[in-house]
């Protein structure tokens, strides 16, 4: 059993290292050395905004491993003063199928999400001639904080940082966090339009269930957009942009912005390719259009980070074990 404190101890301050782990997982996935079925959504009639998602996955490579993440998202938690998401992850032995570790996984999930976004920002901005110095955060929760940390941990330096949130209190708190960690100027924007127009790198990290940004003119300055929350942008913006995702098939479901666009136009031609295509030089993004990265979030990324955490904790001799967890290991007793 690996609790959150041990997970935090392993990955805290290791943003560049975790990003390399996520990149390696993307490369395995892009070359067909993973199994990543559809995510499974458990929804509730009496709580339509809440869900629990199962992400099964299998990862090949030098140390193959199977596993599953079970992550809940209950947005009403925020008003009660506790985090929106909670998660556990099970690792299974690739040879026997037996589970051998259970990890607290909300930190792992946030880290792999942020590492994926940071990796895309590094690669896509490199294609566009340089890293942006003006960043805007639309949504100010845990994921936004992790993404900021991973951008900085991968060498981004910002002169201007913008913040926008439907909650003025949350925006104020996030501004305080940025001012404690950044040298650049931090501005809370009253409107979404102000934030987008004043940012060359826009991070969407909201809990939006439906598109709420619909004017392509806001993006006329051709920013790089990390559309991490997946459901913020209307099809009009998607169609006006150069779209990159982590896995096209996975993104075309659950009423993401890409899925809604596919339903509207009847095809997927508006998606240029995947992050793997960018990593391998098969896809080059244009400088004269907004570039939008929409990562659905693959279970193999969670698996890769979790297996790394397990290995680090085991190497330190700090594993908390549960003796005799399996009561019967002899086939005939």
């Amino acid at each position: 059993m690996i609790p959150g404190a041990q997970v935090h101890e392993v990955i805290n301050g290791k943003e560049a290292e975790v990003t390399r782990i996520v990149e390696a997982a993307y490369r395995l996935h892009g070359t067909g050395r993973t199994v990543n079925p559809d995510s499974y959504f458990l929804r509730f009639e009496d709580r339509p905004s809440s869900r629990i998602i199962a992400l099964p996955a299998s990862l090949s490579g030098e140390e193959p491993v199977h596993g599953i993440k079970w992550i809940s998202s209950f947005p009403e938690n925020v008003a009660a003063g506790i985090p929106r998401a909670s998660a556990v992850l099970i690792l299974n032995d690739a040879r026997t199928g037996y589970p051998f570790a259970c990890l607290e996984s909300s930190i792992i999930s946030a880290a792999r999400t942020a590492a994926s976004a940071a990796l895309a920002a590094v690669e896509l901005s490199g294609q566009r001639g340089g890293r942006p110095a003006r960043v805007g955060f639309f949504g100010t929760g845990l994921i936004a904080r992790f993404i900021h940390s991973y951008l900085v941990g991968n060498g981004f330096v910002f002169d201007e940082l913008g913040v926008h949130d439907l909650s003025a209190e949350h925006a104020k708190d996030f501004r305080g966090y940025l001012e404690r960690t950044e040298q650049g100027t931090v501005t809370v924007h009253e409107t979404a339009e102000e934030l987008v127009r004043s940012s060359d790198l826009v991070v969407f990290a909201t809990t939006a269930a439906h598109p709420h940004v619909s004017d392509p003119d806001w993006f006329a300055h051709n920013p790089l957009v990390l559309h991490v929350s997946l459901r913020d942008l209307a099809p009009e913006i998607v169609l006006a942009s150069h779209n990159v995702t982590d896995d096209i098939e996975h993104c075309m479901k659950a009423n993401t912005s890409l899925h809604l666009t596919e339903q509207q136009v009847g095809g997927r031609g508006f998606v240029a390719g995947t992050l793997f295509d960018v990593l391998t030089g098969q896809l080059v993004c244009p400088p004269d259009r907004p570039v939008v990265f929409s990562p659905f979030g693959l279970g193999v990324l969670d698996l890769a980070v979790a297996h790394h955490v397990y290995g680090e904790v085991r190497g330190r001799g700090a594993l908390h074990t549960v003796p005799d967890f399996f009561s019967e290991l002899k086939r005939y007793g």
Side-chain angles (χ1 to χ4, degrees), residues 235 237-245 248 251-252 256-273 289 292 294:
I237 295 173
V238 173
L239 292 173
S241 302
H242 184 86
N243 295 284
V244 180
T245 185
I248 296 174
C251 261
M252 297 299 176
T256 64
S257 293
L258 296 186
H259 186 206
L260 295 176
T261 305
E262 179 191 31
Q263 295 175 55
Q264 178 173 304
V265 302
R268 301 177 176 181
F270 57 88
V271 178
R289 295 178 70 191
V292 177
S294 300

Side-chain angles (χ1 to χ4, degrees), residues 309-328:
V309 170
Y310 169 80
E312 288 291 307
V313 176
R314 180 185 60 185
R316 299 172 185 179
L319 287 176
H320 300 289
T321 61
V322 183
D324 301 320
F325 181 82
F326 297 103
S327 63
E328 182 58 85

